[in-house]
Amino acid sequence: MCVHITTISFFGHRDIEDMILADRCVYTFVCDMMETHEYFLVGRDGLFDQIVSSAIIRAKKQKQAENCNHIWVMPYDKSEYRKNQGNFEHYYDTIEICEASCRAFPKAAIQIRNRVMVDRSDICVFYVQHSYGGAWETMQYAQQAGKTVVNLAENMQ
């Protein structure tokens, strides 16, 4: 029997208006996906990314989902990581530096990394409330690539 390993990536705006509602929505989504999805790809570039990582960790504990991998995909090697490597390695199951973006200009590197994450994913989850910015551009890319796209911000209205 062939088992398809599935991957979900998360993208959102740097700032979020209603953090409590966003957290509930993300946590519910992650809990629903945890039994059928093995890899959860996240960044660490804004508030939404932190909400997602927190939800993944809580859901893994509640569901005792040891098969799920919480993966931080960095666009380049960050000094924050180098200074706190042990803490980050305890927090995330896996930490990767995106090879395609690690030599690019920092602002461009994030978008390059985002596209690589989309390409690796079966489902792309967004928190996009307006039609501009990096998260919105990544959502457009995911839709054009034919990925399953979920915009949690639409579910919160």
Side-chain angles (χ1 to χ4, degrees), residues 48-101:
F48 181 71
D49 295 331
Q50 293 173 10
I51 288 171
V52 169
S53 286
S54 174
I56 291 168
I57 290 168
R58 291 190 333 261
K60 280 181 71 169
K61 285 180 184 173
Q62 182 197 20
K63 297 210 170 257
Q64 298 177 348
E66 296 303 319
N67 64 317
C68 295
N69 292 290
H70 178 211
I71 303 169
W72 175 21
V73 183
M74 287 190 281
Y76 45 82
D77 188 19
K78 295 184 173 197
S79 63
E80 175 190 26
Y81 170 67
R82 289 190 307 274
K83 291 177 185 174
N84 302 290
Q85 187 172 348
N87 291 333
F88 285 124
E89 288 175 353
H90 179 73
Y91 190 74
Y92 298 96
D93 297 319
T94 305
I95 298 171
E96 301 176 0
I97 298 174
C98 178
E99 191 174 318
S101 63

Side-chain angles (χ1 to χ4, degrees), residues 2-47:
C2 181
V3 177
H4 179 67
I5 298 171
T6 53
T7 301
I8 301 176
S9 57
F10 295 86
F11 309 92
H13 296 307
R14 184 172 304 277
D15 299 313
I16 295 177
E17 294 172 17
D18 190 338
M19 289 178 16
I20 294 170
L21 185 57
D23 180 68
R24 280 191 212 130
C25 192
V26 169
Y27 181 74
T28 300
F29 181 85
V30 167
C31 284
D32 290 346
M33 296 291 113
M34 202 150 269
E35 291 181 22
T36 56
H37 295 78
E38 187 167 346
Y39 297 104
F40 293 80
L41 307 179
V42 298
R44 188 178 169 84
D45 302 302
L47 187 55

Side-chain angles (χ1 to χ4, degrees), residues 126-149:
F126 293 87
Y127 182 89
V128 172
Q129 293 183 297
H130 43 74
S131 56
Y132 56 87
W136 179 79
E137 289 174 10
T138 302
M139 188 167 73
Q140 299 304 301
Y141 177 79
Q143 290 169 336
Q144 292 169 359
K147 299 295 180 170
T148 299
V149 171

